[in-house]
Amino acid sequence: MAWRVCSVLIRLTGEEVSRSSVRGGRWPHSFQQRCGFRKATRKPEPKKVEEELGPPHTETSEPMVHRRTSTPPGPTREFGRLLKPLVFTVGFTGCSFGSAAIWQYESLKSRVQSYFDEIRADWLEKLRPQKRGDFRKEVNQWWHSLSEGQRTVAGIIAVNLAVFCCWRIPSLQRSMIKYFTADPASRTLCSPMLLSTFSHFSFFHMAANMYVLWSFSSSAVSMFGREQFMAVYLSAGVVSSFVSYVYKISSGRFGPSLGASGAIMTILAAVCTKMPEAKLAIIFLPMFTFTAGNALKAILAMDTAGVLLGWKFFDHAAHLGGALFGIWYILSGHELIWKNREPFVKLWHDLRTRGGPGGGGDRGGAV
């Protein structure tokens, strides 16, 4: 908007200079040198002067009309930019839960085979001579000592750490800003909604988010399961980014956002809604404990105040959107989405075992 306002001011200033010069009967000497005039200036004819100046009412109305056509797009046109992010949010959420259902199906199907593989591996391990100080064995022992939730979150932390290192490469700065920061004013709208969930520029920001995610990982994964947890986490990142888009466009406060806070708020809100009587504590003040339900109320109140008062330190709209998505999923989303996955899983089972509709399964049934 700044350059449009400047252009209008320059145009109006130029008109005023020309009018004052013409009315005086001669052009300024400096203006003549810039335009290359060397001959003596001629006094403009009255008819031409009247045509250029025109009546006062016409002069004031023409710039106003021109200014209306050059004003930035209104709210209706700005909200039109939310159509693609909305379609992306709905489509990505559906694909996330569909992929999670297929992942769970394949995991259950291969569990029996993996059980026999583990028995054979243990039998071969007893026959092999034991190695002392084997680094790989120690890493495996440490990995298997973690809970399923901690192992799941470890992969998310690794991705966040890799993206954090990419921010430190100067040649990647332009690409990182384009694809790993979510801003509704950017030309790239959809992919940053997901990629910004794994993006942190500050090490303290990343460390704080990953610590909270690690703390709630065991409870969340044991409550959802590994597959459903990943679907909820990825969908929450996109949903919170979309809520941030809506707030920025409606308030006119544009700016890039990044971080996993929106997705983590969904996990935190889901756990607190499911277990409101669980005891929580702050890392720096472990002596003060409070219930998960009270913690969730305080977080919702703070983010709501941040949205209403326009606080800019955090993306409170993304935090609030992620928390509301987590509450909604526990209260009704789980029953609406995850409990109704059986028809989709059955369709995948038929496609996988029969080779698709009209495949070998149908021919075998006919025989």
Side-chain angles (χ1 to χ4, degrees):
M1 293 183 57
W3 65 267
R4 291 177 179 172
V5 175
C6 292
S7 63
V8 173
L9 291 176
I10 292 173
R11 182 168 55 253
L12 293 176
T13 305
E15 291 175 0
E16 294 297 328
V17 171
S18 63
R19 290 169 191 158
S20 62
S21 303
V22 172
R23 288 168 184 170
R26 55 178 301 177
W27 298 94
H29 182 68
S30 59
F31 186 80
Q32 295 176 9
Q33 291 180 347
R34 292 174 186 173
C35 297
F37 290 110
R38 295 184 179 179
K39 296 182 179 180
T41 57
R42 296 167 55 186
K43 187 174 182 179
E45 299 178 3
K47 185 177 180 180
K48 293 183 179 180
V49 172
E50 292 177 358
E51 292 177 355
E52 290 180 1
L53 296 179
H57 181 72
T58 308
E59 290 176 359
T60 56
S61 61
E62 289 179 356
M64 290 298 294
V65 174
H66 187 73
R67 214 174 301 168
R68 289 195 197 100
T69 58
S70 62
T71 52
T76 304
R77 186 173 177 182
E78 288 290 343
F79 278 105
R81 291 177 58 84
L82 293 174
L83 180 60
K84 289 177 63 177
L86 177 61
V87 174
F88 177 78
T89 301
V90 176
F92 181 82
T93 301
C95 292
S96 298
F97 283 96
S99 301
I102 295 174
W103 182 15
Q104 187 185 59
Y105 167 83
E106 296 294 338
S107 299
L108 293 174
K109 190 173 182 180
S110 62
R111 185 167 296 178
V112 176
Q113 183 64 33
S114 62
Y115 173 75
F116 289 108
D117 293 339
E118 289 178 0
I119 295 177
R120 185 176 60 181
D122 293 339
W123 180 72
L124 293 175
E125 188 69 21
K126 294 178 180 179
L127 295 180
R128 294 175 182 174
Q130 297 294 328
K131 296 182 180 180
R132 295 182 179 180
D134 190 358
F135 178 74
R136 183 178 179 182
K137 183 178 179 180
E138 293 178 359
V139 172
N140 289 334
Q141 290 178 353
W142 170 80
W143 179 257
H144 290 292
S145 66
L146 300 176
S147 64
E148 185 179 10
Q150 291 173 339
R151 290 197 298 267
T152 303
V153 170
I156 299 176
I157 296 175
V159 175
N160 281 268
L161 185 59
V163 176
F164 173 77
C165 294
C166 291
W167 274 106
R168 297 300 178 270
I169 302 176
S171 60
L172 297 179
Q173 290 292 312
R174 183 171 298 178
S175 299
M176 297 298 294
I177 294 174
K178 181 178 180 181
Y179 295 106
F180 286 86
T181 60
D183 187 359
S186 175
R187 294 183 179 180
T188 308
L189 293 175
C190 296
S191 57
M193 298 174 68
L194 173 64
L195 298 179
S196 62
T197 307
F198 301 92
S199 178
H200 298 83
F201 186 79
S202 171
F203 179 79
F204 177 79
H205 185 200
M206 182 186 68
N209 282 342
M210 295 302 103
Y211 175 79
V212 175
L213 182 61
W214 181 270
S215 301
F216 285 88
S217 61
S218 299
S219 300
V221 174
S222 62
M223 182 174 62
F224 289 129
R226 179 180 56 181
E227 299 83 6
Q228 188 181 182
F229 170 82
M230 289 301 302
V232 172
Y233 183 83
L234 296 176
S235 301
V238 176
V239 170
S240 60
S241 297
F242 178 75
V243 174
S244 177
Y245 278 8
V246 174
Y247 171 74
K248 290 177 181 178
I249 289 180
S250 60
S251 63
R253 299 188 179 104
F254 296 95
S257 300
L258 71 166
S261 302
I264 294 174
M265 285 296 298
T266 297
I267 302 302
L268 188 149
V271 174
C272 293
T273 304
K274 190 71 174 180
M275 299 180 290
E277 299 301 326
K279 294 295 183 180
L280 302 178
I282 302 176
I283 181 175
F284 301 109
L285 301 172
M287 69 289 298
F288 298 102
T289 60
F290 42 86
T291 61
N294 291 333
L296 180 59
K297 293 176 184 178
I299 292 173
L300 290 175
M302 184 185 68
D303 287 326
T304 302
V307 170
L308 296 178
L309 299 178
W311 296 345
K312 298 180 181 180
F313 190 73
F314 296 110
D315 192 347
H316 294 279
H319 291 186
L320 186 61
L324 294 178
F325 178 71
I327 296 173
W328 171 82
Y329 188 79
I330 292 297
L331 296 180
S332 58
H334 178 75
E335 296 288 337
L336 181 64
I337 299 176
W338 194 251
K339 291 292 185 180
N340 295 323
R341 71 187 187 281
E342 293 182 4
F344 180 76
V345 175
K346 186 178 183 299
L347 176 63
W348 172 258
H349 174 77
D350 295 339
L351 293 174
R352 194 178 188 280
T353 56
R354 299 179 183 179
D362 293 339
R363 290 195 296 269
V367 174

